[in-house]
Amino acid sequence: MNLTILGCYAATPRTLTHPTAQVLEMRNELFLIDCGEGTQVELRKHKIKFSKINHIFISHLHGDHFYGLIGLISTFMLLGRVNDLHIYGPKGIKEIIVLQLRLSNSWVNYGLYFHELESTQSELIYEDNQLTVHTIPLKHRVYTNGFLFREKPAERKLNFEAVKEHRIETCYFQKIKNGHDLTLGDGTILSNELLTFDPPAPKSYAFCSDTVYDEDLIPLLKGVDVLYHESTFLNSEEELGAKTMHSTAAQAAQIARAAQVRKLVLGHYSTRYESIERFKEEAQPIFEQILLADDGVHFEF
C-alpha cells in the first residue's frame, strides 16, 4: 500500500504548495483521491501513469478539491485514452463536468461514468475482487465524504515443502489456497494449516478530508492501518476551525487515538503557518504515530 501526496494544503494554490490530491496504490491499482488545481501537472512530475488511473474519488465540491478535474478529463482525451473512467463524488459533479465539456464544444472518446453520492450514511461505492471502498460521511459546510479503502483477504500461500512431501498434485493447489483441507486416497486428512502459510494481513486506508471534529467517525475508522485526517489549524485557531468546520492537528490526533488506528497522516494545512512541523508538535503528545503529508511525499506502508 503506497500513498503519493500531490497536494495537501488548504484553499488556494501557491508557487510551492498545492491543493488536495493524492494517489493511493493498493493491490497494483491506482486511485486518485480529490483533484485540486494542478493535479495533472503533479501527476506528470511524479511520473504517475495517467492510463493506470481508472477511478477518481472526489470528497466535496469546494474548488480546492476538484477544480483540476475537468483539465485532467480533457487531457485524457487528448492522450487517446481508451479505458473507462469512473468518477465518484457528490450529486452535482456530473452536471458541472458535462456543462464545461458542452460549452467548450469538447468531448471524450472513452467511457466516462459518474457515480453521484447523496447518502448521509456510510455506503459501499466500489468493489472488485481485491478491495472495497466505503464512504465516510463528514461534517463540513457542504455535503462531504471521506473514503475507506479495505483490501479483501488474500488467498493462502502454499507450503511447497509440505506439498512436495505429501506428493499433492497441482490440480488441488487452488482448493488448498482457498483454505480447504485435503483428504488423501487412504482417508488421511491434511489440515490446511499444514499445507499453507497465512497471507499478509489485509491493509486499510481512510481518507478524511474537510471536516469539523466529529466523534461519530470513530466507529467507522476503528483499527484502520493508516488514517489521513485534515488538520487545517493549530490550537491557537481552534475557534476558527469550529466556525469554518475544519479540524486542528490535536483534534485529528484525538480521533486517531480513540479509533486505535496504526498511523495518522496530517494534511490540508492552512498556509498561514510558516512550518508544518508545528502540526506534528501539537498532535504527537496525543497520538504518537504521526506522519506529515507534504507535496511530493511518498509513503510506503
Side-chain angles (χ1 to χ4, degrees):
M1 185 170 71
N2 302 310
L3 181 68
T4 301
I5 305 296
L6 304 177
C8 62
Y9 288 82
T12 59
R14 301 188 303 170
T15 305
L16 298 176
T17 63
H18 305 280
T20 302
Q22 55 184 246
V23 174
L24 175 69
E25 179 182 4
M26 293 183 77
R27 298 279 179 92
N28 297 315
E29 294 186 61
L30 297 186
F31 302 96
L32 177 61
I33 308 173
D34 277 349
C35 190
E37 289 180 72
T39 293
Q40 63 175 309
V41 176
E42 293 303 299
L43 287 170
R44 290 185 184 277
K45 181 178 178 180
H46 298 290
K47 296 180 171 56
I48 296 171
K49 291 186 177 180
F50 285 24
S51 60
K52 293 192 69 175
I53 297 174
N54 298 316
H55 301 274
I56 300 176
F57 298 84
I58 302 297
S59 62
H60 64 295
L61 297 182
H62 278 163
D64 56 334
H65 293 261
F66 88 102
Y67 277 176
L69 184 57
I70 184 61
L72 184 59
I73 288 172
S74 297
T75 296
F76 281 156
M77 181 272 293
L78 294 173
L79 294 177
R81 182 186 179 94
V82 294
N83 293 346
D84 293 343
L85 179 65
H86 294 264
I87 297 173
Y88 308 79
K91 184 175 178 59
I93 193 166
K94 178 179 180 179
E95 180 182 359
I96 292 171
I97 297 301
V98 170
L99 178 65
Q100 293 177 91
L101 291 172
R102 180 172 62 83
L103 293 182
S104 63
N105 195 27
S106 301
W107 69 96
V108 294
N109 50 3
Y110 54 88
L112 181 60
Y113 298 95
F114 293 90
H115 306 266
E116 294 195 305
L117 309 173
E118 50 187 332
S119 175
T120 57
Q121 303 296 317
S122 179
E123 59 179 338
L124 176 68
I125 58 172
Y126 174 79
E127 181 175 19
D128 61 22
N129 60 356
Q130 299 190 97
L131 55 87
T132 61
V133 183
H134 285 80
T135 57
I136 304 172
L138 302 175
K139 293 179 181 177
H140 191 44
R141 302 192 306 276
V142 297
Y143 176 76
T144 306
N145 284 299
F147 303 102
L148 175 57
F149 297 78
R150 284 191 185 277
E151 289 182 333
K152 293 181 177 180
E155 61 185 18
R156 299 183 65 79
K157 304 294 183 182
L158 284 177
N159 180 341
F160 282 102
E161 290 188 5
V163 167
K164 183 178 180 180
E165 177 185 347
H166 294 283
R167 299 180 180 180
I168 297 172
E169 297 180 16
T170 58
C171 61
Y172 294 108
F173 284 3
Q174 190 59 54
K175 179 180 180 180
I176 295 170
K177 289 194 290 184
N178 289 342
H180 298 284
D181 296 336
L182 188 66
T183 303
L184 301 181
D186 62 2
T188 301
I189 297 176
L190 300 178
S191 70
N192 191 264
E193 288 74 15
L194 174 66
L195 301 175
T196 63
F197 299 111
D198 291 337
K203 295 183 176 66
S204 54
Y205 175 72
F207 170 84
C208 290
S209 70
D210 302 16
T211 182
V212 73
Y213 175 76
D214 181 13
E215 294 183 353
D216 290 342
L217 297 176
I218 295 169
L220 297 176
L221 303 175
K222 203 73 173 180
V224 301
D225 290 300
V226 182
L227 166 63
Y228 176 96
H229 194 292
E230 76 117 291
S231 54
T232 307
F233 297 113
L234 297 175
N235 285 334
S236 55
E237 281 70 48
E238 182 176 348
E239 185 175 335
L240 180 59
K243 182 179 179 181
T244 59
M245 302 196 76
H246 284 292
S247 298
T248 66
Q251 289 171 337
Q254 290 167 17
I255 294 294
R257 182 178 63 185
Q260 298 177 316
V261 307
R262 293 183 62 188
K263 295 182 184 296
L264 170 64
V265 181
L266 299 178
H268 199 265
Y269 316 113
S270 169
T271 54
R272 71 186 62 220
Y273 306 109
E274 293 183 0
S275 172
I276 63 173
E277 288 295 329
R278 296 175 61 190
F279 291 85
K280 186 174 184 178
E281 291 170 2
E282 291 198 357
Q284 204 157 42
I286 301 169
F287 184 81
E288 184 176 356
Q289 295 299 317
I290 298 289
L291 298 170
L292 290 177
D294 203 359
D295 296 356
V297 170
H298 180 77
F299 298 109
E300 295 184 9
F301 300 110

